[in-house]
């Protein structure tokens, strides 16, 4: 398989169910994709960032009934809530797909018609145990005390005539794909989990329903609608032109990076690549799998009691949007992570108030007092120049690995070392002159680089810092790696102290 062009970065969140409102677990996924998309835009890559809502299926139909709405009304209202939350969190998606849009119906019908024409879909009878919350069938063995292992609620017994996808036929092609693409699914533990599912043996899967009508009709047999998951997965293809504009589709596919939670590994890392192969398309380039955010050891969820305490809006009101984003991104990608308000505030104070904010404010204060508010230029042989080089390499590696926590940790090294450099040189005690100018110029240059490197995580604060150190006259669009090269702070610019960027909490 030829590798995708290096300058194309198509990144997707899962599409969220519209049975209830967005919570911080969803924000974790979406902000991770947003920051990665912003980083790739800084690199000058061609970026397409997709998010959206998953609007069919029994779960949404039941939520609509409970709310006295039609499913479409339920979807219209809740998809707006998701859009509002992403607007609030400064999410820069290029497209928001809703699975009830006509473009998606066309694409799903074409995609699955193709699989049908290839002989990989047949009619059969399905009997099984079904969890409405997961929208998935379970085997008896999967249940915990007779309940769904994820939602811990009773499952329903269903029997119906379904169309089946010949997943079993794709066992070997999937093994071959995993072997040829050892980095496609990451981190490694999650890749092993996906391989384990394939090793357990793959049975054909039921992909249609006659018992509900809230779905995309099966084009060759309109008594059936596609089961929600098989329409949902295809959203990633729809959004880049599948079924409508083949050359656009080929521009982005398979350069796609799916970011998903660990509960949907089976669908994304087994069923989806197999469906793509069956439709004659390439499997995805990469699938990054993250753990859950937990509150008091339990998965944060819409149905759980903990939703209201941790709505993204409440958190943003408390500490600001950038601080919420930063906190989510500092959670290592892969394992589960505990989320608490106390943890958010502690990290805010440590990383943002005491480190980042403090550096910005002490530099502006000394420039104000000793240089009449005019920032000097950096020294070309500054000891911070080497640090900045290393920091850029490590930050870039962190983003390339989709490890925002590692990337930010690397960027913060420049902040810490610049703070230490100031403490060692004590410019606040020095007399005005070339030595003082060099120290302050170095610190301003470090701040300039930080304002670029940290901007995927903290877009507003970095813009504000850029403005305060007098750089508004420079193009706002910076390009990496050039923008990270040492020595570009021009000097002679007005530096403004302003209010603290991150007041202590
Ligand atoms: N609609 C499907 C996805 C279809 S993609 C073709 C779905 N929706 S969901 O709204 O239930 O979940 C969407 C994503 O949110 C999943 O990746 C899930 O792992 C993630 N999260 C939900 N709760 C979470 C946490 N508490 N923590 C982290 N992520 C969590 O599944």
């Amino acid at each position: 398989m030829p590798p995708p062009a290096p300058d194309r970065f198509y990144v997707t969140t899962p599409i969220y169910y519209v049975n209830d409102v967005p919570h911080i677990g969803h924000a974790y996924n979406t902000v991770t994709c947003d920051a990665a998309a912003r980083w790739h835009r800084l690199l000058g890559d061609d970026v397409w960032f997709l998010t959206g809502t998953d609007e069919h299926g029994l779960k949404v139909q039941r939520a609509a009934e409970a709310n006295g709405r039609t499913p479409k009304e339920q979807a219209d209202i809740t998809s707006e809530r998701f859009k509002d939350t992403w607007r609030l969190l400064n999410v820069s998606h290029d497209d928001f797909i809703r699975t009830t849009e006509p473009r998606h119906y066309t694409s799903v019908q074409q995609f699955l018609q193709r699989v049908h024409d290839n002989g990989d879909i047949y009619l059969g009878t399905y009997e099984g145990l079904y969890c409405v919350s997961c929208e998935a069938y379970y085997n008896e063995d999967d249940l915990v005390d007779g309940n769904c292992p994820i939602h811990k609620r009773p499952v329903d017994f269903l029997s119906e005539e379904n169309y089946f996808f010949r997943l079993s036929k794709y066992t070997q092609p999937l093994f071959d794909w995993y072997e040829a693409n050892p980095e496609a699914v990451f981190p490694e533990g999650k890749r092993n989990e996906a391989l384990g599912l394939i090793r357990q043996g793959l049975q054909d899967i039921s992909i249609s329903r006659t018992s509900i009508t809230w779905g995309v009709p099966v084009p060759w047999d309109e008594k059936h609608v596609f089961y929600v998951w098989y329409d949902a997965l295809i959203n990633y293809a729809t959004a880049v032109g599948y079924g409508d504009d083949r050359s656009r589709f080929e521009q982005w596919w398979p350069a796609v990076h799916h970011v998903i939670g660990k509960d949907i590994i089976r669908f994304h890392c087994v069923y989806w690549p197999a469906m793509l192969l069956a439709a004659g398309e390439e499997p995805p380039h990469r699938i990054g799998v993250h753990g859950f955010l937990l509150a008091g050891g339990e998965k944060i969820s819409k149905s759980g009691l903990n939703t209201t305490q941790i709505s993204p809006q409440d958190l943003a009101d408390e500490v600001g949007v950038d601080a919420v984003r930063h906190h989510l991104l500092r959670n290592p990608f892969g394992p589960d992570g505990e989320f608490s308000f106390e943890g958010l505030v502690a990290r805010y104070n440590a990383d943002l108030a005491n480190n980042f904010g403090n550096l910005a404010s002490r530099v502006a204060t000394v420039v104000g007092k000793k240089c009449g508010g005019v920032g000097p230029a950096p020294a070309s042989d500054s000891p911070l120049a080497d640090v900045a080089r290393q920091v850029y390499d490590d930050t870039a590696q962190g983003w390339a690995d989709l490890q925002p926590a590692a990337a930010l940790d690397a960027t913060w090294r420049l902040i810490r070392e610049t703070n230490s450099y100031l403490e060692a040189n004590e410019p606040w005690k020095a007399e005005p002159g070339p030595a003082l100018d060099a120290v302050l110029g170095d610190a301003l240059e470090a701040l300039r680089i930080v304002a670029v490197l940290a901007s995927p995580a903290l877009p507003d604060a970095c813009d504000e810092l850029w403005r305060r150190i007098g750089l508004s006259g420079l193009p706002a669009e910076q390009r990496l790696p050039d923008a990270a090269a040492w020595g570009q702070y021009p000097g002679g610019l007005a530096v403004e102290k302003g209010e603290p960027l991150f007041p202590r909490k």
Side-chain angles (χ1 to χ4, degrees), residues 13-19 23-29 53-55 59 82 133-134 151 228-229 231-236 259-264 267-268 290-295 298-302 337:
T13 72
I15 47 172
Y16 301 104
Y17 286 130
V18 289
N19 57 319
H23 61 67
I24 198 76
H26 303 138
Y28 173 51
N29 187 305
T53 41
D54 188 353
E55 306 191 350
K59 181 149 80 169
F82 276 93
S133 293
C134 297
H151 294 92
V228 57
W229 263 105
D231 106 52
L233 287 163
I234 296 169
N235 90 86
Y236 303 128
V259 178
I260 62 163
K262 66 179 187 180
D263 52 335
I264 52 179
F267 291 100
H268 284 81
H290 62 74
F292 289 149
L293 287 185
L294 309 173
E298 289 284 316
K299 175 178 180 252
I300 294 170
S301 71
K302 292 179 276 204

Side-chain angles (χ1 to χ4, degrees), residues 60 68 91 100 119 225 256 306 309 390 485:
V60 173
V91 170
T100 47
V225 295
V256 64
N306 45 25
Q309 288 119 285
Q390 188 64 50

Side-chain angles (χ1 to χ4, degrees), residues 206-278:
S206 129
I207 60 161
S208 77
R209 298 283 178 274
T210 48
S211 51
I212 64 168
T213 50
W214 184 235
V216 180
V218 171
W220 61 87
D221 183 350
E222 297 225 341
K223 287 195 303 299
H224 291 249
V225 295
F226 288 113
Y227 165 53
V228 57
W229 263 105
Y230 302 101
D231 106 52
L233 287 163
I234 296 169
N235 90 86
Y236 303 128
T238 306
V240 288
Y242 190 89
D244 171 45
D245 182 344
R246 185 72 206 173
S247 74
R248 177 160 177 253
F249 178 71
E250 284 176 359
Q251 180 188 343
W252 293 107
W253 205 269
V256 64
H257 295 61
H258 298 310
V259 178
I260 62 163
K262 66 179 187 180
D263 52 335
I264 52 179
I265 288 184
R266 180 189 294 272
F267 291 100
H268 284 81
C269 306
V270 182
Y271 298 175
W272 179 226
M275 284 166 67
L276 283 159
L277 289 170

Side-chain angles (χ1 to χ4, degrees), residues 34 40 62 65 78 89 96 99 109 116 119-120 122 125 153 171 210 248 282 335 356 413-414 424 432 435 452 500:
D34 181 60
H40 281 269
R62 287 196 180 160
E65 281 159 15
T78 314
L89 291 176
F96 187 104
T99 54
Q109 290 181 331
H116 185 247
D120 283 340
Y122 64 90
T125 302
R153 293 203 197 134
T171 307
T210 48
R248 177 160 177 253
E282 300 276 4
F356 189 171
R413 187 178 152 216
L414 184 55
V452 178

Side-chain angles (χ1 to χ4, degrees), residues 156-481:
D156 296 329
F157 180 78
L158 295 186
S159 166
E160 57 176 333
E161 193 180 61
N162 288 177
Y163 283 98
F164 284 74
F165 168 53
R166 266 183 229 290
L167 178 67
S168 54
K169 179 177 150 187
Y170 288 90
T171 307
Q172 195 51 47
L174 283 171
F175 279 132
D176 295 346
W177 176 63
Y178 271 90
E179 199 178 309
N181 299 279
E183 298 194 336
V185 176
F186 65 99
E188 205 184 342
K190 303 292 196 273
R191 166 189 156 86
N192 291 336
E193 211 175 308
L195 276 168
L197 293 171
I198 306 170
R199 275 193 207 105
Q200 276 170 21
L202 297 179
Q203 291 172 3
D204 295 349
I205 45 177
S206 129
I207 60 161
S208 77
R209 298 283 178 274
T210 48
S211 51
I212 64 168
T213 50
W214 184 235
V216 180
V218 171
W220 61 87
D221 183 350
E222 297 225 341
K223 287 195 303 299
H224 291 249
V225 295
F226 288 113
Y227 165 53
V228 57
W229 263 105
Y230 302 101
D231 106 52
L233 287 163
I234 296 169
N235 90 86
Y236 303 128
T238 306
V240 288
Y242 190 89
D244 171 45
D245 182 344
R246 185 72 206 173
S247 74
R248 177 160 177 253
F249 178 71
E250 284 176 359
Q251 180 188 343
W252 293 107
W253 205 269
V256 64
H257 295 61
H258 298 310
V259 178
I260 62 163
K262 66 179 187 180
D263 52 335
I264 52 179
I265 288 184
R266 180 189 294 272
F267 291 100
H268 284 81
C269 306
V270 182
Y271 298 175
W272 179 226
M275 284 166 67
L276 283 159
L277 289 170
E281 306 296 349
E282 300 276 4
H285 178 54
R286 298 201 85 188
I287 307 177
V289 186
H290 62 74
F292 289 149
L293 287 185
L294 309 173
E298 289 284 316
K299 175 178 180 252
I300 294 170
S301 71
K302 292 179 276 204
S303 41
L305 286 175
N306 45 25
T307 320
T308 43
Q309 288 119 285
I310 40 185
S311 92
Q313 177 75 63
D314 291 349
L315 295 175
D317 288 349
E318 206 63 42
V319 293
V321 167
D322 275 353
V324 175
R325 293 173 56 100
H326 172 257
H327 187 60
L328 293 171
L329 293 167
R330 284 279 183 161
N331 190 52
F333 188 91
D336 288 350
E338 183 67 26
F339 184 93
S340 71
F341 186 67
E342 295 71 27
L344 168 69
V345 171
R347 191 173 263 148
Y348 172 97
N349 282 329
D351 290 350
L352 300 182
N354 296 350
N355 251 313
F356 189 171
N358 184 36
L359 176 62
S361 104
R362 75 207 305 200
V363 171
T365 305
V366 185
V367 170
K369 284 196 181 137
K370 307 255 168 174
C371 312
V374 178
S380 56
D381 58 350
S382 166
L384 290 176
D386 268 348
V387 177
R389 249 187 305 279
Q390 188 64 50
V391 159
Y392 174 70
D393 289 347
D394 294 348
T395 302
Q397 191 61 51
W399 287 114
D401 295 342
L402 201 80
Q403 290 293 345
L408 290 172
D409 201 43
T411 302
W412 252 249
R413 187 178 152 216
L414 184 55
I415 296 177
R416 281 195 306 274
E417 300 238 0
T418 308
N419 268 323
S420 308
Y421 178 68
L422 291 180
E423 272 142 32
N425 287 286
E426 301 189 307
W428 39 86
K429 289 189 184 161
E431 289 304 317
L436 172 71
D437 285 357
V439 170
L440 290 174
D442 289 350
L444 283 160
E445 172 63 350
L447 281 173
R448 182 193 67 79
I449 294 173
V450 167
V452 178
L453 298 187
S455 64
L458 303 156
D460 285 344
C462 290
D463 274 0
E464 177 60 7
L465 175 61
W466 193 256
R467 193 189 64 74
R468 285 189 191 182
I469 61 177
L471 292 171
S472 302
L474 288 189
E477 290 266 294
Q478 293 295 303
R479 282 281 172 269
L480 290 171

